[in-house]
Amino acid sequence: IWSVELFFPDHYQGLEYKFCLLSPGMLGQFLENPTIRWDKSDNRYVDLRQGNKAVFVPDIAFQDSEPLWKATGVAIPIFSLRSATGFGIGDFGDLLLLIDWAKATGMKIIQTLPVNDTTQTHTYLDSYPYNAISIYALHPLYLNLDALGTLKDAKRRNFYKQKQKELNTLPSVDYEKVDRIKWQFFREIFKQEGETVIHSLPYSEFFEANKDWLLPYAGFSAKRDQEVHADLYCFLQFHAYLQMTKARDYARQNDIILKGDIPIGISRDGVEAQTEPHYFNMHFQAGAPPDAFSTDGQIWGFPTYNWPAMEADNYQWWKKRFRKMSDYFDAYRIDHILGFFRIWQIPANANSGLDGYFSPALPLSLTEIETAGVPIPAIPALFIEDDKQTEQYHPRISVAENAVYQSLHPDEKQAFDRLHNDYFYHRHNEFWKVEAIKHLTPLVNATEMLVCGEDLGMIPQSVPDVMNQLQILSLDIERMPKVLGVEFTDLQHLPYLSVCTTSTHDMSTIRGWWQENPSQTQRYYNEVLKQDGIAPEECTPEIARIILSNHLKSPSMLTIIPLQDWLAIDEELRNPDIESERINIPANARHYWRYRMHLSLEQLLKAEKLTTQIQNLITD
C-alpha cells in the first residue's frame, strides 16, 4: 500500500497519473533512463471533486508487458509423506526430499495442511489436523527421530530400528502405534540429551523468544500426560523449530515457497481456550451450513470467536498467531475465510449443523416476521431465537422437509421463503463486508506472507470485493462453481489473484470423482474436456493430463495440485486403490485422517518419466 501527499489548487477536478518501475538509486535520473518500465495501461485518473482530503484508490495493479508471475505446486499433508527413513508417518525431514522433487519437476510451491500440535487423547481422534491444542506449538509426531539424536543403548537402538521398519511398511498411518512408539523415543532421548540441550545457548535463545506460549503449552501437555518433566515438551518444541526452519531455509535456497494452513478454529479443550477464554464463546461451536460436502451441515466443535474482545486489543491474538506462522512459511491459506465475515454458530450441545445460524448477523424482529405474513405459531419451528436479544430471530436453514413448513398455506410459504432468501443472500451483504474488512485488514498487514483464502461454501456476495481489496487470493475448483446455475467453473476466466486446484483435502481425487456420478462425468467429458463419445468408466492417464493441463493454463497466479492428482497422469505410478487416496470425509466428524503416499519420495525422485511429464505440462 503506497501513499502520497499532493497539494493542488481548489479548482482541480481530477488528476492523471502513471506508474513506472524503478530500481534503487534510479529516482534522480528516471526521466532520462531508457530502461524504465512504464505502466502499459492508459493514464489513470483520480476524481478530486469529492471534497475529501484523503482519496483511496484500490486499483493499483501495475500493467506490464511482461507475463504475469505464475507458480505451480503440489499439496500434501506432512503426515502423508513417505520416505525410506520414515517412521510410519511423514515428518519435517521428509520436506527436504519433497522440495527436491518439486524443484526437479519445475514446481515453485508446496502446500501443507496445518502442522500444529493436536495431541489430546493419543488416539486416532488426534489425527484431525484442524483441532489444534496450541496455535504456536508444532506437532511432535512430525519430528524426524534421527535428527533428535542417537540413543547410546544399542538394544534400544535396535528396538526402534525394527519398529521403524514395521511402521514404514503400513499402507496408511497407524496413528496410535506411531504415537506410542515415538513418545517412548521422545522420553528416552530427552533423558539422555535433555540436560545438555536445555543448557545450550540456542535453546536459551529459543526459550526466551517463545516462553509466553511455550510455558503454558508445556504445563498443559505435562498435565495431560501426567508427566513430571514439563521440560520434555519445551525440548521437543525446540527440535521441531530447528527441523521446520531447516526445511524453510532449504526451500528458499531452492526457490520453493512453503505454504502453510491456518485453521479457522482452535480446540475448545486446548491451551488458548484455557489461558485466554475471554477471546471465545465457549457455549457455542463453529460449523458450516449445508453444502456440497454435507446435506446436514457440519459440526467442527471449535468455540466461536468473541470478536469484540479481539477488536479491543487490536487483534493481538491473531497477529501473534500469524507472526508465528511466518517463522516457517512464506505463504498461507486461511481455512474457511468466510468465518471472518460470519461464522455458522451452533449451540455447544447440538448434534446437527442444521441447528445453527450466522454470527454476527442482523436477526429479524417479531414485527418483521408477522408483517411479512408468517404465522406467529410457526416461528419456533421455522426460526431460531437470537442468543442475545429476545424476540429477535434467525430463519432456520433447509426447512423444506419441516412438517410445520409443509403445513403452511402457499402464501405463508412464500412469505417465509422471501424472508429466508433475503436473510441468507441480501440482508447482510454490506454488514458482513464491514465486519470482514475490520477483522482481516490488520491481520493481512501483520506479516509479509502471501495470503490465500479458502472461500468455498455459502459465499456472501461481498466476499470477492473484500478479497480483491485486501489482495487475498481466492480458491477456485472446477467442480465447485461459485456462479449459480453453472455446473462447472470456467477455468479460463478465473481471476489472477486466485489459487486454482483440482480438489482439496475434503474432496475425492479427480479419479474418485470421475466414478461418483456417471451422468455428470459424461457431461464433463463432452462439454468441458471437448471429447466425443461415451466417457470411459475410469479417469485414464490421458484424461488426467488433459484436466491438469486445463488447470495449469488458467490465469490464476497459483495452480496447486494434490499429489494424488499429479500421480494420476502416470499409468505405472498411480495408486491402484483409488479410495485409499481420499484424505477426509467432512460429513464424518470423527474421520480418521491417515492417508499415506503409496510410493516413497525416493521413488518419486527416480521417476524420470513422471518428472518429464510434469515439466512438460508446466511449460506447455
Side-chain angles (χ1 to χ4, degrees):
I1 298 177
W2 301 85
S3 64
V4 60
E5 188 171 11
L6 299 174
F7 297 91
F8 40 81
D10 292 339
H11 66 272
Y12 269 44
Q13 294 189 345
L15 176 71
E16 287 187 275
Y17 65 98
K18 203 173 191 71
F19 286 133
C20 65
L21 294 183
L22 303 175
S23 297
M26 293 172 58
L27 187 57
Q29 53 180 332
F30 78 95
L31 289 177
E32 302 86 26
N33 196 312
T35 62
I36 293 296
R37 286 167 61 187
W38 286 95
D39 183 275
K40 299 300 181 182
S41 65
D42 294 334
N43 286 356
R44 297 160 187 262
Y45 181 80
V46 175
D47 186 352
L48 302 174
R49 294 173 297 178
Q50 303 170 31
N52 297 326
K53 292 184 178 180
V55 178
F56 177 68
V57 184
D59 179 21
I60 61 168
F62 184 87
Q63 301 299 317
D64 201 349
S65 56
E66 299 292 324
L68 290 171
W69 183 85
K70 288 170 61 68
T72 302
V74 60
I76 185 170
I78 288 181
F79 63 76
S80 299
L81 298 175
R82 180 192 291 267
S83 69
T85 60
F87 219 88
I89 191 172
D91 59 48
F92 297 130
D94 292 336
L95 281 174
L96 306 181
L97 291 173
L98 183 62
I99 291 165
D100 288 339
W101 181 72
K103 183 178 182 180
T105 59
M107 297 184 197
K108 297 177 182 177
I109 188 165
I110 292 171
Q111 177 177 316
T112 71
L113 290 189
V115 295
N116 293 106
D117 190 0
T118 59
T119 309
Q120 292 191 55
T121 64
H122 291 286
T123 69
Y124 86 91
L125 296 174
D126 297 343
S127 69
Y128 181 27
Y130 289 90
N131 194 32
I133 62 166
S134 168
I135 61 173
Y136 307 104
L138 297 175
H139 207 311
L141 286 195
Y142 299 160
L143 282 164
N144 179 281
L145 299 192
D146 291 336
L148 284 175
T150 303
L151 291 174
K152 296 175 182 178
D153 187 322
K155 184 177 179 181
R156 297 304 294 166
R157 284 202 309 272
N158 290 332
F159 168 80
Y160 287 110
K161 186 176 181 180
Q162 181 60 38
K163 290 298 179 183
Q164 185 266 336
K165 290 181 179 178
E166 292 175 10
L167 292 170
N168 219 25
T169 59
L170 298 176
S172 57
V173 176
D174 188 324
Y175 195 94
E176 294 172 9
K177 281 186 180 179
V178 170
D179 181 274
R180 184 170 63 255
I181 300 300
K182 275 201 164 186
W183 276 99
Q184 286 182 28
F185 182 87
F186 293 157
R187 288 181 167 87
E188 291 183 41
I189 199 69
F190 174 71
K191 185 177 180 180
Q192 176 182 297
E193 305 290 341
E195 193 73 18
T196 302
V197 170
I198 286 173
H199 289 93
S200 68
L201 179 60
Y203 177 88
S204 297
E205 292 174 344
F206 168 78
F207 183 85
E208 282 300 313
N210 296 276
K211 63 183 179 183
D212 287 348
W213 66 264
L214 189 59
L215 287 174
Y217 164 77
F220 172 92
S221 301
K223 182 179 178 181
R224 174 199 65 211
D225 297 340
Q226 298 181 327
E227 171 65 54
V228 295
H229 299 294
D231 284 343
L232 165 65
Y233 305 96
C234 300
F235 169 85
L236 295 176
Q237 286 304 309
F238 171 63
H239 277 286
Y241 171 80
L242 293 179
Q243 293 186 21
M244 190 61 207
T245 52
K246 180 181 180 180
R248 175 206 66 192
D249 293 342
Y250 189 67
R252 290 176 178 174
Q253 291 162 13
N254 287 279
D255 296 323
I256 301 293
I257 300 162
L258 290 186
K259 180 185 175 190
D261 194 349
I262 294 185
I264 186 62
I266 57 108
S267 170
R268 65 173 50 250
D269 300 313
V271 180
E272 285 77 34
Q274 292 185 10
T275 59
E276 301 172 292
H278 61 288
Y279 284 134
F280 310 99
N281 299 316
M282 301 301 293
H283 54 296
F284 283 104
Q285 56 183 329
D291 58 16
F293 297 132
S294 175
T295 56
D296 289 336
Q298 299 175 41
I299 290 183
W300 301 329
F302 318 131
T304 58
Y305 291 112
N306 181 353
W307 285 113
M310 298 276 186
E311 186 179 358
D313 63 5
N314 197 24
Y315 305 96
Q316 290 304 312
W317 188 88
W318 279 102
K319 289 178 179 179
K320 289 186 290 185
R321 185 180 190 181
F322 280 40
R323 287 168 184 154
K324 188 60 184 174
M325 174 72 77
S326 69
D327 282 351
Y328 311 117
F329 300 99
D330 291 313
Y332 65 92
R333 165 191 182 269
I334 301 178
D335 168 57
H336 194 64
I337 197 171
L338 304 183
F340 288 88
F341 292 75
R342 79 292 184 271
I343 199 75
W344 191 248
Q345 179 173 275
I346 309 163
N349 58 358
N351 297 314
S352 171
L354 298 177
D355 294 326
Y357 59 89
F358 286 123
S359 177
L362 304 172
L364 297 161
S365 68
L366 194 62
T367 302
E368 284 181 278
I369 296 172
E370 190 175 13
T371 302
V374 178
I376 297 297
I379 288 179
L382 302 180
F383 295 84
I384 299 174
E385 188 168 13
D386 189 79
D387 64 298
K388 296 183 181 68
Q389 307 173 71
T390 58
E391 296 191 349
Q392 299 286 317
Y393 299 90
H394 305 268
R396 292 185 182 274
I397 198 167
S398 300
V399 297
E401 304 301 322
N402 185 298
V404 173
Y405 176 81
Q406 291 290 341
S407 68
L408 293 178
H409 184 275
D411 291 342
E412 294 171 337
K413 282 185 180 179
Q414 290 181 10
F416 176 80
D417 291 345
R418 285 194 297 270
L419 286 177
H420 181 278
N421 292 337
D422 179 70
Y423 176 92
F424 284 108
Y425 299 106
H426 304 289
R427 184 181 181 90
H428 297 95
N429 286 341
E430 189 62 29
F431 176 70
W432 284 337
K433 178 179 180 179
V434 171
E435 289 293 307
I437 291 176
K438 182 170 61 176
H439 301 330
L440 286 168
T441 300
L443 309 186
V444 168
N445 294 330
T447 74
E448 294 184 352
M449 293 185 289
L450 177 69
V451 189
C452 308
E454 182 268 295
D455 55 336
L456 304 177
M458 197 171 179
I459 306 172
Q461 195 176 66
S462 56
V463 170
D465 187 38
V466 171
M467 294 181 71
N468 285 334
Q469 184 171 322
L470 298 179
Q471 298 198 344
I472 300 173
L473 276 64
S474 63
L475 178 63
D476 286 281
I477 303 174
E478 189 172 43
R479 51 181 141 140
M480 286 192 70
K482 296 175 180 176
V483 178
L484 289 176
V486 174
E487 189 171 19
F488 302 106
T489 300
D490 183 355
L491 297 180
Q492 298 311 307
H493 289 87
L494 295 181
Y496 173 62
L497 293 181
S498 66
V499 179
C500 176
T501 187
T502 49
S503 56
T504 74
H505 60 271
D506 282 331
M507 304 169 69
S508 53
T509 62
I510 55 174
R511 293 168 66 207
W513 172 79
W514 190 269
Q515 298 177 341
E516 289 173 359
N517 187 334
S519 60
Q520 185 181 48
T521 298
Q522 183 65 55
R523 291 191 296 273
Y524 179 77
Y525 183 72
N526 298 140
E527 299 169 14
V528 178
L529 300 186
K530 309 299 182 185
Q531 303 296 307
D532 296 327
I534 304 299
E537 292 184 6
E538 182 183 354
C539 179
T540 65
E542 294 74 20
I543 291 173
R545 278 193 287 273
I546 295 172
I547 294 173
L548 265 59
S549 177
N550 289 345
H551 283 72
L552 291 167
K553 290 176 181 177
S554 75
S556 300
M557 178 193 289
L558 305 179
T559 302
I560 302 178
I561 307 295
L563 179 72
Q564 304 94 303
D565 290 347
W566 280 119
L567 296 179
I569 68 174
D570 192 295
E571 182 67 48
E572 297 175 359
L573 298 180
R574 52 175 28 200
N575 192 332
D577 183 1
I578 297 176
E579 287 301 314
S580 69
E581 294 188 312
R582 181 81 185 249
I583 296 177
N584 178 45
I585 300 175
N588 180 5
R590 299 169 72 87
H591 182 79
Y592 193 168
W593 298 60
R594 60 187 313 191
Y595 163 69
R596 284 189 85 196
M597 297 170 56
H598 69 292
L599 305 170
S600 70
L601 289 162
E602 290 88 352
Q603 288 174 295
L604 275 188
L605 283 165
K606 294 177 181 177
E608 295 182 3
K609 177 185 171 185
L610 175 65
T611 298
T612 301
Q613 289 186 84
I614 295 175
Q615 288 173 343
N616 292 338
L617 281 169
I618 292 175
T619 57
D620 184 13

